[in-house]
């Protein structure tokens, strides 16, 4: 699941999150860890321009700081940046931050990356917004080197050139999984050819089979081998029968009903689903997490 509180876009934030803080994040992360969730995710925005602030809000916690904070309070749940806009930073800086996070969390990092969409962020940091796709492509190549086993990573490209600079600690994992976010044709191609997984952004159920087929086709044509994780962000959920208005798109009902609906994703070729629960308070969210872990998860 993507963590609440740490990003508060009006598209998905619940009312109670506006007054929430670190203690709430800790309680939610620990609950997800106990409930058997696979990962917790945190978003990435450096700054929100005034023209977008009303819709996006300006509450966006830093993902490295947030995930490191929660790593010390959890034991097994993995830690995902969903997604890090790695093109805003030099890949050696990104590698230093996320390698340290992987080391401190005993190898629980998943690096989710995306091209970004807020032009003003790029302009403020001196990065060409129009070239964010090619920048991300090279960042991925540079990060593969910088997050690999070598103490002195090496990369020689058009935008970044480095060698002879040692970075320790190295990641605990032999290969940090890199999942690429986005549903545009360019993002799907990037995920297929450069990623270890794909994180779609807003694809409804009926669009997923074609997207997944395209990824398989691209990988086969390019001769790309190795494990690949297909993700999906599912509809909002509420375990049980809500006594308040949860929205027409929200999946509700008994555990068996929810599990039957969610198993349709597996039939499409999806390997992991990201869930979000409707809630009116931290307590209600904690109850939903526990109920899903105990009653729904085992049926999947």
């Amino acid at each position: 699941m993507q963590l609440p509180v740490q990003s508060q876009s009006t598209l998905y934030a619940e009312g109670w999150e506006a007054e929430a803080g670190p203690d709430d994040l800790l309680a939610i992360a620990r609950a997800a860890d106990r409930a058997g969730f696979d990962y917790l995710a945190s978003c990435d925005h450096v700054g929100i321009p005034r023209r977008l602030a009303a819709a996006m809000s300006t509450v966006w916690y830093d993902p490295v700081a947030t995930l490191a904070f929660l790593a010390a309070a959890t034991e097994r749940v993995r830690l995902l940046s969903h997604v890090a806009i790695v093109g805003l930073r030099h890949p050696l800086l990104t590698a230093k931050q996320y390698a340290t996070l992987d080391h401190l969390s005993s190898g629980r990092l998943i690096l989710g990356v995306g091209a970004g969409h807020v032009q003003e962020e790029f302009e403020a940091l001196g990065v060409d917004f129009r070239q964010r796709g090619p920048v991300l492509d090279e960042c991925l190549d540079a990060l593969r080197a910088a997050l690999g086993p070598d103490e002195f990573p090496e990369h020689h490209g058009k935008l970044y050139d480095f060698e002879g600079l040692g970075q320790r600690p190295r990641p605990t994992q032999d290969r940090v999984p890199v999942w690429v976010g986005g549903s545009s044709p360019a993002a799907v191609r990037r995920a297929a050819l450069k990623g270890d997984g794909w994180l779609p952004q807003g694809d409804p159920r009926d669009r997923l089979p074609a997207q997944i087929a395209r990824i398989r086709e691209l990988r086969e044509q390019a001769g790309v081998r190795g494990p690949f994780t297909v993700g999906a962000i599912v509809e909002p959920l509420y375990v049980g029968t809500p006594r308040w208005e949860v929205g027409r798109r929200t999946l509700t009902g008994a555990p068996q009903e929810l599990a039957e609906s969610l198993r349709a994703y597996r039939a499409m070729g999806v390997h992991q689903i990201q869930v979000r629960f409707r809630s009116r308070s931290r307590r209600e969210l904690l109850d939903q997490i526990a109920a899903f872990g105990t009653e729904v998860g085992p049926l999947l």
Side-chain angles (χ1 to χ4, degrees), residues 61-224:
Y61 288 34
D62 177 77
V64 178
T66 304
L67 295 174
F69 174 64
L70 298 176
T74 54
E75 295 180 358
R76 50 152 300 280
V77 70
R78 305 201 75 183
L79 308 163
L80 167 68
S81 57
H82 187 186
V83 287
I85 312 303
V86 294
L88 294 175
R89 307 164 180 91
H90 193 286
L92 279 180
L93 174 59
T94 299
K96 168 58 73 174
Q97 293 175 309
Y98 282 100
T100 302
L101 174 56
D102 194 62
H103 175 75
L104 292 174
S105 66
S106 300
R108 289 190 277 149
L109 171 67
I110 305 170
L111 180 59
V113 303
H117 67 95
V118 179
Q119 183 170 347
E120 289 90 338
E121 284 184 305
F122 286 77
E123 292 172 347
L125 296 172
V127 182
D128 189 344
F129 179 74
R130 294 169 299 177
Q131 293 298 311
R132 65 193 184 280
V135 168
L136 177 53
D137 284 337
E138 186 169 334
C139 270
L140 285 169
D141 294 335
L143 285 169
R144 285 292 189 201
L147 289 172
D150 294 337
E151 180 181 353
F152 292 88
E154 182 175 343
H155 172 79
H156 303 287
K158 293 182 179 179
L159 301 172
Y160 307 108
D161 190 286
F162 54 84
E163 66 176 309
L165 293 170
Q167 287 191 330
R168 294 183 69 184
R170 305 306 303 154
T172 297
Q173 299 178 87
D174 293 333
R175 180 183 174 94
V176 172
V178 176
W179 293 356
V180 177
S183 293
S184 68
V188 169
R189 172 177 289 275
R190 187 174 294 119
L193 302 183
K194 292 182 175 289
D196 302 305
W198 176 53
L199 293 163
Q201 301 293 304
D203 284 284
R205 289 192 188 208
D206 58 359
R207 278 196 63 193
L208 282 172
Q211 295 275 60
I212 295 168
R214 178 60 175 156
I215 287 173
R216 289 173 175 164
E217 177 187 29
L218 287 166
R219 288 174 65 82
E220 184 176 344
Q221 289 175 350
V224 179

Side-chain angles (χ1 to χ4, degrees), residues 232-259:
I233 300 175
V234 307
E235 301 87 345
L237 302 177
Y238 193 92
V239 183
T241 303
R243 294 185 173 86
W244 56 289
E245 180 52 54
V246 294
R248 62 181 180 83
R249 290 188 61 251
T250 301
L251 301 179
T252 67
Q256 295 85 353
E257 295 176 279
L258 291 179

